[in-house]
Amino acid sequence: MLVTPASAAPTAPDVRWWSVYDQQIGSTWRYTPSSPGSLLRFEVELELEGHFTRELEFSADQDYAYWTEHSVPAGTGFTWSIRAVEAGGPGPWTSFSGKLGGRVPDPPSVSTTSHPDEDVLRVAWEPGTDEVLETRVDVVFDSVPDVVQRLSTTEGSLDVPHAGGRSTGTLRVMTRTAYGWSNEAVQEFVYEDQWAAPVWMQLKPRAGGFFVAWRSFKKSHKTIGSPDSWLVDVDGEPVDFEITRRRKDTIKGFERGLTHGTEHVVTVRGVTSDFGPGLPISATGRTFAAAEQMAASRVKPGRRGGDRTVLVSWGDPEWGEASPCCFRVTAVGRGSGGEKTTIRRFVGADLRRTDFGVGTQGPWRFTVEAKTGTGFSPVSGFSAKVRAR
Protein backbone atom coordinates (compact mmCIF):
# COMPACT_ATOMS: atom_id res chain seq x y z
CA MET A 1 0.00 0.00 0.00
CA LEU A 2 1.33 3.43 -0.96
CA VAL A 3 1.42 5.82 1.97
CA THR A 4 1.37 9.54 1.23
CA PRO A 5 3.12 11.59 3.92
CA ALA A 6 0.92 14.14 5.64
CA SER A 7 1.64 17.73 4.65
CA ALA A 8 2.54 20.28 7.31
CA ALA A 9 -0.36 22.35 8.62
CA PRO A 10 -0.45 26.07 7.74
CA THR A 11 0.82 28.44 10.42
CA ALA A 12 -0.40 31.89 11.44
CA PRO A 13 1.04 34.90 9.58
CA ASP A 14 3.54 36.96 11.56
CA VAL A 15 2.20 40.53 11.71
CA ARG A 16 5.26 42.79 11.56
CA TRP A 17 3.61 46.22 11.78
CA TRP A 18 0.23 47.94 11.67
CA SER A 19 -1.02 51.50 11.87
CA VAL A 20 -4.06 53.75 11.49
CA TYR A 21 -4.16 56.95 9.46
CA ASP A 22 -7.57 58.58 10.09
CA GLN A 23 -9.97 55.93 8.71
CA GLN A 24 -7.33 53.81 6.94
CA ILE A 25 -5.81 50.63 8.42
CA GLY A 26 -2.46 49.35 7.14
CA SER A 27 -0.55 46.18 8.00
CA THR A 28 2.48 44.16 6.90
CA TRP A 29 3.13 40.50 7.62
CA ARG A 30 5.52 37.64 6.96
CA TYR A 31 4.47 34.12 6.00
CA THR A 32 6.21 30.91 4.94
CA PRO A 33 3.99 28.34 3.17
CA SER A 34 4.01 24.77 4.45
CA SER A 35 5.14 23.64 0.99
CA PRO A 36 6.09 25.43 -2.25
CA GLY A 37 3.07 26.53 -4.26
CA SER A 38 0.53 25.57 -1.59
CA LEU A 39 -0.52 29.10 -0.59
CA LEU A 40 -3.76 30.22 -2.27
CA ARG A 41 -4.64 33.53 -0.58
CA PHE A 42 -4.90 35.49 2.67
CA GLU A 43 -8.25 36.10 4.35
CA VAL A 44 -8.94 39.03 6.68
CA GLU A 45 -11.90 39.57 8.99
CA LEU A 46 -12.30 43.21 10.05
CA GLU A 47 -14.63 43.36 13.07
CA LEU A 48 -15.95 46.88 13.66
CA GLU A 49 -17.22 47.11 17.24
CA GLY A 50 -20.95 47.76 17.50
CA HIS A 51 -21.40 47.64 13.73
CA PHE A 52 -20.52 44.64 11.54
CA THR A 53 -17.70 42.36 10.38
CA ARG A 54 -16.20 42.85 6.93
CA GLU A 55 -14.54 39.95 5.11
CA LEU A 56 -11.57 40.73 2.83
CA GLU A 57 -9.22 38.72 0.63
CA PHE A 58 -5.64 39.41 -0.51
CA SER A 59 -3.53 37.54 -3.05
CA ALA A 60 -0.89 34.97 -2.10
CA ASP A 61 1.97 37.19 -3.30
CA GLN A 62 1.05 40.09 -0.97
CA ASP A 63 2.72 40.78 2.38
CA TYR A 64 0.89 44.03 3.11
CA ALA A 65 -2.62 45.46 2.99
CA TYR A 66 -4.42 48.81 3.33
CA TRP A 67 -8.13 49.29 3.86
CA THR A 68 -10.10 52.53 4.28
CA GLU A 69 -13.39 52.28 6.20
CA HIS A 70 -15.67 55.33 5.77
CA SER A 71 -18.89 53.61 6.85
CA VAL A 72 -18.26 54.01 10.59
CA PRO A 73 -17.37 57.08 12.70
CA ALA A 74 -13.93 57.99 14.03
CA GLY A 75 -13.20 56.39 17.37
CA THR A 76 -14.74 53.04 16.40
CA GLY A 77 -12.78 50.15 17.78
CA PHE A 78 -11.77 47.32 15.49
CA THR A 79 -10.09 43.91 15.45
CA TRP A 80 -8.16 42.88 12.33
CA SER A 81 -7.66 39.09 11.99
CA ILE A 82 -5.65 37.46 9.22
CA ARG A 83 -5.01 33.85 8.22
CA ALA A 84 -3.41 32.00 5.33
CA VAL A 85 -5.42 29.64 3.14
CA GLU A 86 -3.47 26.82 1.54
CA ALA A 87 -4.52 23.97 -0.72
CA GLY A 88 -5.05 21.78 2.34
CA GLY A 89 -7.26 24.30 4.10
CA PRO A 90 -7.02 27.51 6.19
CA GLY A 91 -4.53 28.08 8.98
CA PRO A 92 -5.01 29.76 12.39
CA TRP A 93 -5.89 33.42 12.80
CA THR A 94 -3.60 36.11 14.18
CA SER A 95 -5.07 39.44 15.27
CA PHE A 96 -4.48 42.99 16.47
CA SER A 97 -6.92 45.58 17.81
CA GLY A 98 -7.09 49.37 17.66
CA LYS A 99 -9.46 52.22 16.84
CA LEU A 100 -10.10 54.43 13.85
CA GLY A 101 -9.83 58.18 13.56
CA GLY A 102 -6.28 58.86 14.70
CA ARG A 103 -2.66 58.65 13.63
CA VAL A 104 0.42 56.82 14.87
CA PRO A 105 2.78 58.79 17.16
CA ASP A 106 6.13 60.24 16.17
CA PRO A 107 9.18 57.98 16.78
CA PRO A 108 10.49 58.12 20.35
CA SER A 109 13.69 59.86 21.43
CA VAL A 110 16.12 57.17 22.65
CA SER A 111 19.08 57.23 25.09
CA THR A 112 21.35 54.49 26.50
CA THR A 113 23.58 54.09 29.55
CA SER A 114 26.07 51.32 30.35
CA HIS A 115 25.88 49.47 33.67
CA PRO A 116 28.79 47.01 33.57
CA ASP A 117 28.44 46.24 37.28
CA GLU A 118 25.00 44.79 36.49
CA ASP A 119 25.91 43.47 33.00
CA VAL A 120 23.08 45.46 31.40
CA LEU A 121 22.63 48.19 28.79
CA ARG A 122 19.82 50.46 30.00
CA VAL A 123 17.62 51.81 27.19
CA ALA A 124 15.27 54.72 27.90
CA TRP A 125 13.06 56.81 25.63
CA GLU A 126 10.74 59.78 25.48
CA PRO A 127 7.67 58.77 23.45
CA GLY A 128 6.00 61.02 20.90
CA THR A 129 2.70 60.78 22.84
CA ASP A 130 1.40 60.09 26.34
CA GLU A 131 -0.89 57.29 25.15
CA VAL A 132 1.71 54.57 24.65
CA LEU A 133 0.46 51.02 25.23
CA GLU A 134 3.68 49.14 24.42
CA THR A 135 7.27 49.80 23.37
CA ARG A 136 9.27 47.32 21.28
CA VAL A 137 13.08 47.38 21.21
CA ASP A 138 15.17 45.43 18.70
CA VAL A 139 18.83 45.11 19.73
CA VAL A 140 21.67 44.09 17.38
CA PHE A 141 25.26 43.83 18.63
CA ASP A 142 27.89 44.30 15.93
CA SER A 143 29.77 41.24 17.20
CA VAL A 144 26.76 39.06 16.22
CA PRO A 145 25.08 41.11 13.46
CA ASP A 146 22.74 38.30 12.39
CA VAL A 147 21.11 37.98 15.84
CA VAL A 148 18.24 40.32 16.72
CA GLN A 149 17.05 40.48 20.35
CA ARG A 150 13.42 41.65 20.46
CA LEU A 151 12.24 43.03 23.80
CA SER A 152 8.99 44.74 24.74
CA THR A 153 7.66 46.59 27.76
CA THR A 154 4.89 48.86 28.98
CA GLU A 155 7.38 50.90 31.03
CA GLY A 156 9.54 53.86 29.98
CA SER A 157 12.81 51.93 29.93
CA LEU A 158 14.23 48.42 29.87
CA ASP A 159 17.51 46.62 30.51
CA VAL A 160 19.28 44.61 27.82
CA PRO A 161 21.36 41.83 29.45
CA HIS A 162 24.93 41.74 28.10
CA ALA A 163 27.97 40.03 29.60
CA GLY A 164 30.11 40.16 26.46
CA GLY A 165 32.32 43.11 27.42
CA ARG A 166 32.74 46.37 25.52
CA SER A 167 30.49 46.30 22.45
CA THR A 168 28.84 48.45 19.84
CA GLY A 169 25.47 47.96 18.22
CA THR A 170 22.20 49.40 16.96
CA LEU A 171 18.78 49.86 18.58
CA ARG A 172 15.47 50.10 16.73
CA VAL A 173 12.67 51.37 18.98
CA MET A 174 8.95 51.61 18.17
CA THR A 175 6.00 52.62 20.34
CA ARG A 176 2.41 51.38 19.97
CA THR A 177 -0.78 53.26 20.71
CA ALA A 178 -4.39 52.50 19.88
CA TYR A 179 -3.53 53.74 16.37
CA GLY A 180 -0.69 51.29 15.77
CA TRP A 181 3.10 51.27 15.71
CA SER A 182 5.20 54.38 15.21
CA ASN A 183 8.05 54.50 12.75
CA GLU A 184 11.38 53.20 14.07
CA ALA A 185 13.81 55.34 16.01
CA VAL A 186 17.29 54.04 15.08
CA GLN A 187 20.07 54.61 17.62
CA GLU A 188 23.68 53.39 17.54
CA PHE A 189 25.26 52.72 20.92
CA VAL A 190 28.53 51.87 22.66
CA TYR A 191 28.37 49.62 25.70
CA GLU A 192 31.30 50.61 27.91
CA ASP A 193 32.79 47.70 29.83
CA GLN A 194 35.94 45.61 30.09
CA TRP A 195 37.32 44.76 26.67
CA ALA A 196 35.38 42.04 24.89
CA ALA A 197 37.00 38.67 24.23
CA PRO A 198 38.61 38.30 20.79
CA VAL A 199 36.27 36.53 18.40
CA TRP A 200 38.91 34.26 16.84
CA MET A 201 42.24 32.77 17.91
CA GLN A 202 44.85 30.60 16.18
CA LEU A 203 47.65 28.64 17.85
CA LYS A 204 50.37 27.01 15.75
CA PRO A 205 53.04 24.97 17.54
CA ARG A 206 56.72 25.76 17.22
CA ALA A 207 59.74 24.23 18.88
CA GLY A 208 59.54 25.53 22.44
CA GLY A 209 56.73 27.95 21.69
CA PHE A 210 53.77 28.98 19.54
CA PHE A 211 52.79 31.28 16.71
CA VAL A 212 49.67 33.06 18.05
CA ALA A 213 47.11 35.15 16.15
CA TRP A 214 43.76 36.62 17.16
CA ARG A 215 41.09 38.99 15.88
CA SER A 216 39.64 41.58 18.20
CA PHE A 217 36.22 41.96 16.55
CA LYS A 218 34.23 40.64 13.66
CA LYS A 219 34.28 42.85 10.61
CA SER A 220 31.66 45.60 10.60
CA HIS A 221 31.10 49.00 9.10
CA LYS A 222 32.29 50.68 12.30
CA THR A 223 35.74 51.47 13.64
CA ILE A 224 35.92 49.56 16.92
CA GLY A 225 39.27 50.79 18.17
CA SER A 226 41.84 48.90 20.22
CA PRO A 227 42.52 48.26 23.91
CA ASP A 228 45.42 50.04 25.58
CA SER A 229 47.46 46.82 25.50
CA TRP A 230 47.17 43.04 25.14
CA LEU A 231 47.81 40.56 27.93
CA VAL A 232 48.99 37.05 26.98
CA ASP A 233 49.43 34.38 29.61
CA VAL A 234 50.54 30.76 29.40
CA ASP A 235 49.04 28.35 31.94
CA GLY A 236 47.80 31.33 33.97
CA GLU A 237 51.14 33.17 34.10
CA PRO A 238 51.67 36.43 32.15
CA VAL A 239 54.47 36.24 29.56
CA ASP A 240 56.44 38.66 27.41
CA PHE A 241 54.74 38.25 24.05
CA GLU A 242 56.43 39.38 20.83
CA ILE A 243 53.87 41.06 18.53
CA THR A 244 55.20 40.93 14.98
CA ARG A 245 52.26 42.24 12.98
CA ARG A 246 49.09 44.31 13.43
CA ARG A 247 46.58 44.65 10.63
CA LYS A 248 43.29 46.34 11.50
CA ASP A 249 41.78 44.10 14.20
CA THR A 250 44.17 41.14 13.69
CA ILE A 251 47.30 40.69 15.81
CA LYS A 252 50.04 38.13 15.21
CA GLY A 253 53.19 37.18 17.09
CA PHE A 254 55.28 34.55 18.84
CA GLU A 255 55.58 33.09 22.32
CA ARG A 256 59.00 31.51 22.85
CA GLY A 257 61.00 29.91 25.61
CA LEU A 258 58.63 27.09 26.53
CA THR A 259 59.65 23.50 27.09
CA HIS A 260 59.81 21.41 23.93
CA GLY A 261 57.07 18.81 23.47
CA THR A 262 54.75 20.03 26.25
CA GLU A 263 51.08 21.06 26.35
CA HIS A 264 50.07 24.59 27.36
CA VAL A 265 46.94 26.79 27.60
CA VAL A 266 47.46 30.21 25.98
CA THR A 267 45.02 33.01 26.90
CA VAL A 268 44.63 36.48 25.37
CA ARG A 269 42.87 39.53 26.88
CA GLY A 270 42.59 43.19 25.95
CA VAL A 271 43.52 45.61 28.74
CA THR A 272 42.08 49.12 29.22
CA SER A 273 42.93 51.75 31.80
CA ASP A 274 39.28 52.07 32.91
CA PHE A 275 38.40 48.39 33.36
CA GLY A 276 41.70 46.47 33.47
CA PRO A 277 42.04 43.03 31.82
CA GLY A 278 39.08 42.15 29.60
CA LEU A 279 37.29 38.92 28.80
CA PRO A 280 39.54 36.05 27.68
CA ILE A 281 39.85 33.76 24.71
CA SER A 282 41.98 30.62 25.16
CA ALA A 283 43.43 27.80 23.11
CA THR A 284 45.35 24.67 24.06
CA GLY A 285 48.34 23.45 22.09
CA ARG A 286 51.46 21.32 22.36
CA THR A 287 54.87 22.67 21.49
CA PHE A 288 56.88 20.63 19.02
CA ALA A 289 59.88 18.64 20.14
CA ALA A 290 62.72 20.33 18.28
CA ALA A 291 65.48 18.63 16.33
CA GLU A 292 68.21 17.42 18.68
CA GLN A 293 71.74 18.78 18.80
CA MET A 294 73.93 17.13 16.18
CA ALA A 295 77.39 15.71 16.67
CA ALA A 296 80.35 17.79 15.48
CA SER A 297 80.86 17.59 11.73
CA ARG A 298 83.80 15.84 10.07
CA VAL A 299 86.09 17.93 7.88
CA LYS A 300 88.99 17.53 5.49
CA PRO A 301 90.56 19.73 2.83
CA GLY A 302 88.60 20.08 -0.39
CA ARG A 303 89.50 18.70 -3.78
CA ARG A 304 92.98 19.36 -5.11
CA GLY A 305 93.00 22.24 -7.49
CA GLY A 306 89.86 23.64 -5.89
CA ASP A 307 89.22 27.27 -4.97
CA ARG A 308 89.95 27.10 -1.24
CA THR A 309 87.20 24.65 -0.15
CA VAL A 310 86.64 22.29 2.75
CA LEU A 311 84.70 19.01 2.51
CA VAL A 312 82.27 19.03 5.48
CA SER A 313 80.17 15.94 6.34
CA TRP A 314 77.77 14.98 9.15
CA GLY A 315 75.51 12.15 10.27
CA ASP A 316 71.72 11.73 10.26
CA PRO A 317 69.94 14.10 12.66
CA GLU A 318 67.03 13.45 15.02
CA TRP A 319 64.55 15.76 13.31
CA GLY A 320 62.00 15.91 16.15
CA GLU A 321 58.26 16.32 15.38
CA ALA A 322 58.26 18.99 12.70
CA SER A 323 58.93 18.52 9.00
CA PRO A 324 62.62 18.70 7.96
CA CYS A 325 63.71 21.81 6.11
CA CYS A 326 67.48 21.96 5.63
CA PHE A 327 70.88 22.22 7.37
CA ARG A 328 72.73 25.40 8.30
CA VAL A 329 76.50 24.97 8.05
CA THR A 330 78.66 27.69 9.61
CA ALA A 331 82.37 28.24 9.01
CA VAL A 332 84.49 30.28 11.46
CA GLY A 333 88.08 31.17 10.51
CA ARG A 334 90.46 33.78 9.12
CA GLY A 335 89.41 35.60 6.02
CA SER A 336 91.41 37.83 3.74
CA GLY A 337 93.66 40.15 5.74
CA GLY A 338 93.65 37.72 8.67
CA GLU A 339 90.39 39.03 10.19
CA LYS A 340 88.03 36.64 11.96
CA THR A 341 85.27 35.69 9.52
CA THR A 342 81.97 33.80 9.80
CA ILE A 343 80.30 32.29 6.72
CA ARG A 344 76.88 30.59 6.80
CA ARG A 345 75.26 28.48 4.10
CA PHE A 346 72.11 26.35 3.86
CA VAL A 347 72.02 22.94 2.18
CA GLY A 348 69.14 20.57 1.52
CA ALA A 349 67.75 18.18 4.14
CA ASP A 350 68.64 15.18 1.95
CA LEU A 351 72.38 16.02 1.89
CA ARG A 352 74.98 14.79 4.38
CA ARG A 353 78.01 16.62 3.05
CA THR A 354 79.00 19.72 1.12
CA ASP A 355 82.11 21.15 -0.51
CA PHE A 356 82.20 24.45 1.38
CA GLY A 357 84.01 27.33 -0.35
CA VAL A 358 85.76 29.66 2.09
CA GLY A 359 88.11 31.66 -0.18
CA THR A 360 91.19 31.56 2.08
CA GLN A 361 93.40 28.84 3.51
CA GLY A 362 92.25 29.36 7.07
CA PRO A 363 92.43 27.51 9.38
CA TRP A 364 88.63 26.95 9.68
CA ARG A 365 86.23 25.25 12.07
CA PHE A 366 82.62 24.27 11.33
CA THR A 367 79.30 23.79 13.11
CA VAL A 368 76.05 22.33 11.77
CA GLU A 369 72.38 22.77 12.75
CA ALA A 370 69.25 20.93 11.61
CA LYS A 371 66.36 23.25 10.66
CA THR A 372 62.70 22.20 10.70
CA GLY A 373 59.43 24.07 10.29
CA THR A 374 59.67 25.05 13.95
CA GLY A 375 63.25 26.33 14.09
CA PHE A 376 66.86 25.24 14.49
CA SER A 377 68.36 22.51 16.62
CA PRO A 378 70.99 23.56 19.16
CA VAL A 379 74.33 24.35 17.48
CA SER A 380 76.67 21.36 17.25
CA GLY A 381 80.13 21.41 18.74
CA PHE A 382 82.98 22.70 16.60
CA SER A 383 84.71 20.41 14.16
CA ALA A 384 88.46 19.95 14.17
CA LYS A 385 90.46 22.78 12.60
CA VAL A 386 91.23 22.30 8.92
CA ARG A 387 92.96 24.25 6.17
CA ALA A 388 91.22 24.75 2.86
CA ARG A 389 92.79 23.89 -0.45
Side-chain angles (χ1 to χ4, degrees), residues 325-367:
C325 170
C326 53
F327 294 99
R328 180 164 68 181
V329 183
T330 303
V332 178
R334 297 293 176 180
S336 58
E339 296 179 355
K340 184 176 180 180
T341 301
T342 299
I343 305 171
R344 292 186 177 90
R345 294 202 177 97
F346 290 88
V347 299
D350 57 331
L351 300 179
R352 295 298 180 268
R353 66 178 184 176
T354 183
D355 205 27
F356 199 113
V358 290
T360 64
Q361 188 176 20
W364 297 90
R365 295 190 300 168
F366 291 83
T367 61

Side-chain angles (χ1 to χ4, degrees), residues 26 35 143 253 266-267 306 314 318 373:
S35 61
S143 56
V266 179
T267 302
W314 54 90
E318 292 291 337

Side-chain angles (χ1 to χ4, degrees), residues 231-239 264-269 282:
L231 174 65
V232 179
D233 68 60
V234 177
D235 300 329
E237 295 295 328
V239 295
H264 301 275
V265 178
V266 179
T267 302
V268 178
R269 294 177 173 87
S282 298

Side-chain angles (χ1 to χ4, degrees), residues 195-238:
W195 200 259
V199 296
W200 169 85
M201 181 179 181
Q202 184 182 58
L203 202 63
K204 290 184 177 180
R206 295 289 186 265
F210 297 99
F211 166 82
V212 189
W214 64 88
R215 183 175 296 125
S216 182
F217 283 91
K218 287 185 178 179
K219 295 179 181 178
S220 75
H221 64 287
K222 298 178 183 177
T223 300
I224 303 299
S226 300
D228 298 325
S229 62
W230 289 101
L231 174 65
V232 179
D233 68 60
V234 177
D235 300 329
E237 295 295 328

Side-chain angles (χ1 to χ4, degrees), residues 165 193-198 231 268-272 275-281:
D193 196 356
Q194 60 185 148
W195 200 259
L231 174 65
V268 178
R269 294 177 173 87
V271 181
T272 60
F275 295 98
L279 299 177
I281 188 172

Side-chain angles (χ1 to χ4, degrees), residues 35 42 51 66 111 123 148-149 153-154 170 207 216 225 324 371:
S35 61
F42 293 101
H51 296 277
Y66 291 94
S111 62
V123 184
V148 179
Q149 298 182 56
T153 182
T154 58
T170 303
S216 182
K371 186 178 186 302

Side-chain angles (χ1 to χ4, degrees), residues 20 22-23 25 48 69 72-76 78 98-102 179:
V20 171
D22 294 334
Q23 298 295 104
I25 304 169
L48 298 162
E69 189 60 63
V72 296
T76 299
F78 69 87
K99 64 181 180 179
L100 298 172
Y179 304 113

Side-chain angles (χ1 to χ4, degrees), residues 60-260:
D61 60 352
Q62 280 192 241
D63 58 3
Y64 67 94
Y66 291 94
W67 182 260
T68 301
E69 189 60 63
H70 288 301
S71 61
V72 296
T76 299
F78 69 87
T79 298
W80 174 290
S81 302
I82 182 172
R83 70 179 177 180
V85 179
E86 297 193 2
W93 296 96
T94 187
S95 305
F96 59 84
S97 298
K99 64 181 180 179
L100 298 172
R103 298 183 183 183
V104 296
D106 293 331
S109 175
V110 182
S111 62
T112 62
T113 52
S114 303
H115 293 269
D117 53 330
E118 303 174 44
D119 284 337
V120 296
L121 173 73
R122 190 151 296 150
V123 184
W125 52 88
E126 290 293 333
T129 177
D130 294 332
E131 301 174 350
V132 172
L133 302 176
E134 180 186 4
T135 301
R136 187 170 72 192
V137 180
D138 287 349
V139 188
V140 178
F141 287 94
D142 291 329
S143 56
V144 281
D146 298 330
V147 177
V148 179
Q149 298 182 56
R150 171 158 290 180
L151 307 170
S152 65
T153 182
T154 58
E155 305 296 329
S157 66
L158 57 75
D159 289 345
V160 181
H162 183 64
R166 184 182 186 276
S167 305
T168 59
T170 303
L171 300 169
R172 290 179 171 84
V173 183
M174 302 169 65
T175 54
R176 180 176 64 85
T177 68
Y179 304 113
W181 289 101
S182 71
N183 291 324
E184 289 182 335
V186 180
Q187 173 88 24
E188 294 186 348
F189 67 86
V190 178
Y191 177 69
E192 298 291 353
D193 196 356
Q194 60 185 148
W195 200 259
V199 296
W200 169 85
M201 181 179 181
Q202 184 182 58
L203 202 63
K204 290 184 177 180
R206 295 289 186 265
F210 297 99
F211 166 82
V212 189
W214 64 88
R215 183 175 296 125
S216 182
F217 283 91
K218 287 185 178 179
K219 295 179 181 178
S220 75
H221 64 287
K222 298 178 183 177
T223 300
I224 303 299
S226 300
D228 298 325
S229 62
W230 289 101
L231 174 65
V232 179
D233 68 60
V234 177
D235 300 329
E237 295 295 328
V239 295
D240 291 329
F241 183 77
E242 177 191 358
I243 293 179
T244 58
R245 187 177 184 186
R246 298 175 186 263
R247 184 176 182 182
K248 295 184 178 179
D249 293 327
T250 302
I251 298 92
K252 300 177 180 180
F254 292 91
E255 173 53 32
R256 311 180 194 273
L258 304 177
T259 305
H260 294 184

